[in-house]
């Protein structure tokens, strides 16, 4: 609830600026105060990484990371609003600081943990360190955020650029994390040599993002993936990374830039095949990936066929997280 309310509020903030709506800006301010009164600061210290009694299934840590990133976006998007008071922006800064302090303390207590959660911690710490240089802890936030991201880039990906959970959904989420970090650094004047490793990592992992989409740009449902759209993320990546081939899925780039219609990811054990780059494409995904993921996703081996942007034949994957019957 804490996370979803903030994600909605960030969307409303963007809509208020795009529409230049004073009424919507006032609604954002009112809704933030309602959230601020209702959602307490994250507690420190947590007693364990998987402390089910206090933090749930590690969700408090990941929720705080998403909370901090949304609050940063709302803060900067609303800086020149006449509808916002200094107290509004002070409360935002306090909330941001609480989130970043929590993530710093959490890492100091538990250290490196594999798989996708900690990537989001790194993204938020880096963004806070870069975007709020006046804060006392900004240098530490940036340094820790970069350290977390670089270490996970080295340990959480196959040689072919696929995130080790072999899940299009989680791969896209983590790709977004690294793209956001790269764009924040690049936009704020970080020299190219310092971001080269990050760009190389993104270039290597962008292909799986593209090939795991059906003709309409939605994830194919293998390995705990939701059938949600990646088009906006592909457009952002194409612009930031200068990769017009990533727009083959929408036909927005010249046909001469489109990549081959089939691609194997041998380290992950997944193959994507389609008859063309078009919304009505026939797409076949073969998943023979090994059982190597943080969530122990079921459904292997798997065959998925999509046609006309819709599933034609696939395992619906209603059971996840190591359901023994589904595994068999």
């Amino acid at each position: 609830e804490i996370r979803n309310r903030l994600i909605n509020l960030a969307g409303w903030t963007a809509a208020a600026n795009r529409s230049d709506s004073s009424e919507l800006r006032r609604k954002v301010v009112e809704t933030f105060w309602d959230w601020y009164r209702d959602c307490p600061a994250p507690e420190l210290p947590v007693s364990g990484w998987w402390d089910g009694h206090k933090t749930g299934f590690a969700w408090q840590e990941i929720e705080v990371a998403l909370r901090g990133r949304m609050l940063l976006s709302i803060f900067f998007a609303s800086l020149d609003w006449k509808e916002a008071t200094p107290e509004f922006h002070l409360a935002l800064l306090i909330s941001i600081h609480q989130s970043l302090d929590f993530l710093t303390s959490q890492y100091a207590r538990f250290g490196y943990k594999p798989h996708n959660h900690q990537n989001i911690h790194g993204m938020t710490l880096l963004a806070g360190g870069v975007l709020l240089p006046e804060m006392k802890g900004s240098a530490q936030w940036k340094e820790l955020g970069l350290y977390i991201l670089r270490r996970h880039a080295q340990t959480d990906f196959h040689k072919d650029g696929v995130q080790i959970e072999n899940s299009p959904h989680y791969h896209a989420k983590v790709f977004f994390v690294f793209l956001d970090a790269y764009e924040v650094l690049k936009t704020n004047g970080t020299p190219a040599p310092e971001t080269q490793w990050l760009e190389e990592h993104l270039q290597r992992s962008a292909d799986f993002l593209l090939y795991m989409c059906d003709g309409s740009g939605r994830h194919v449902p293998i390995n705990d993936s939701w059938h949600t759209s990646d088009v906006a993320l592909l457009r952002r990546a194409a612009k930031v990374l200068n990769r017009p081939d990533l727009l083959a899925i929408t036909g927005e780039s010249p046909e001469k830039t489109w990549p081959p219609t089939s691609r194997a990811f041998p380290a992950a054990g997944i193959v994507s095949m389609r008859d063309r780059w078009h919304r009505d494409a026939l797409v076949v995904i073969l998943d023979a990936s090994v059982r190597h993921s943080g969530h122990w996703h079921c459904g292997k081996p798997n065959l998925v066929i999509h046609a006309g942007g819709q599933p034609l034949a696939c395992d619906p994957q209603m059971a996840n997280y190591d359901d023994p019957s589904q595994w068999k």
Side-chain angles (χ1 to χ4, degrees):
E1 181 186 15
I2 292 172
R3 174 195 62 182
N4 289 339
R5 286 166 67 178
L6 273 182
I7 291 174
N8 290 337
L9 195 60
W12 298 350
T13 304
N17 283 340
R18 290 195 176 199
S19 63
D20 194 23
S21 169
S22 179
E23 180 182 355
L24 190 50
R25 286 193 289 264
R26 283 195 296 271
K27 188 66 177 176
V28 167
V29 173
E30 293 170 7
T31 305
F32 169 78
W33 282 121
D34 178 64
W35 176 89
Y36 188 69
R37 288 187 293 265
D38 196 35
C39 299
E43 296 180 49
L44 288 172
V46 292
S47 59
W49 181 256
W50 302 111
D51 181 1
H53 174 69
K54 187 173 183 181
T55 66
F57 192 66
W59 285 120
Q60 187 169 6
E61 293 85 358
I62 196 171
E63 299 293 8
V64 173
L66 290 165
R67 174 197 299 206
R69 189 65 187 92
M70 292 298 104
L71 288 166
L72 278 164
S73 294
I74 295 166
F75 176 79
F76 285 101
S78 64
L79 274 178
D80 60 353
W81 288 5
K82 63 180 183 297
E83 296 83 1
T85 63
E87 289 76 18
F88 169 77
H89 286 114
L90 178 60
L92 275 167
L93 286 174
I94 290 171
S95 297
I96 291 167
H97 207 293
Q98 289 170 339
S99 297
L100 296 173
D101 274 354
F102 177 95
L103 295 174
T104 303
S105 177
Q106 196 273 347
Y107 195 88
R109 188 175 179 85
F110 300 113
Y112 168 82
K113 296 291 179 181
H115 309 308
N116 61 37
H117 283 199
Q118 218 166 59
N119 289 284
I120 301 175
H121 303 185
M123 171 186 70
T124 301
L125 285 163
L126 172 66
V130 172
L131 297 174
L132 295 173
E134 302 86 358
M135 291 283 197
K136 184 177 179 180
S138 62
Q140 182 186 30
W141 297 337
K142 179 182 176 182
E143 182 180 1
L144 179 57
L146 276 170
Y147 173 79
I148 290 172
L149 291 175
R150 190 156 194 168
R151 185 163 183 189
H152 280 270
Q154 295 167 343
T155 59
D156 288 5
F157 290 81
H158 298 300
K159 291 183 294 184
D160 50 21
V162 180
Q163 203 261 353
I164 59 173
E165 295 187 73
N166 304 318
S167 165
H169 178 82
Y170 287 106
H171 180 93
K173 292 296 184 185
V174 176
F175 183 88
F176 169 82
V177 163
F178 283 92
L179 186 66
D180 186 79
Y182 177 68
E183 196 166 15
V184 165
L185 289 168
K186 188 176 179 182
T187 303
N188 286 276
T190 304
E194 295 182 29
T195 59
Q196 183 177 351
W197 70 270
L198 192 47
E199 181 178 3
E200 290 173 352
H201 173 72
L202 285 164
Q203 296 286 4
R204 186 165 53 251
S205 57
D207 292 345
F208 191 70
L209 185 74
L210 172 64
Y211 280 98
M212 287 299 107
C213 289
D214 68 10
S216 66
R218 295 188 294 178
H219 295 140
V220 292
I222 61 171
N223 299 332
D224 198 27
S225 280
W226 289 265
H227 197 210
T228 52
S229 176
D230 263 346
V231 170
L233 183 56
L234 285 165
R235 284 177 176 148
R236 182 177 174 186
K239 180 179 179 181
V240 174
L241 301 174
N242 191 25
R243 288 281 302 272
D245 58 306
L246 297 178
L247 297 176
I249 200 78
T250 63
E252 297 172 34
S253 59
E255 188 170 350
K256 64 181 180 181
T257 67
W258 296 355
T261 52
S262 297
R263 173 71 183 271
F265 298 89
I270 299 174
V271 176
S272 171
M273 299 172 284
R274 67 186 68 218
D275 63 347
R276 52 185 163 161
W277 290 107
H278 190 272
R279 180 177 178 83
D280 295 329
L282 175 66
V283 183
V284 178
I285 306 294
L286 297 175
D287 172 26
S289 55
V290 298
R291 191 185 188 196
H292 183 60
S293 67
H295 296 107
W296 290 352
H297 303 288
C298 60
K300 309 178 187 68
N302 200 359
L303 168 68
V304 177
I305 304 174
H306 280 222
Q310 294 295 328
L312 182 64
C314 65
D315 178 352
Q317 307 242 340
M318 297 305 293
N320 285 299
Y321 302 106
D322 207 28
D323 180 323
S325 61
Q326 192 79 348
W327 215 149
K328 292 175 184 176

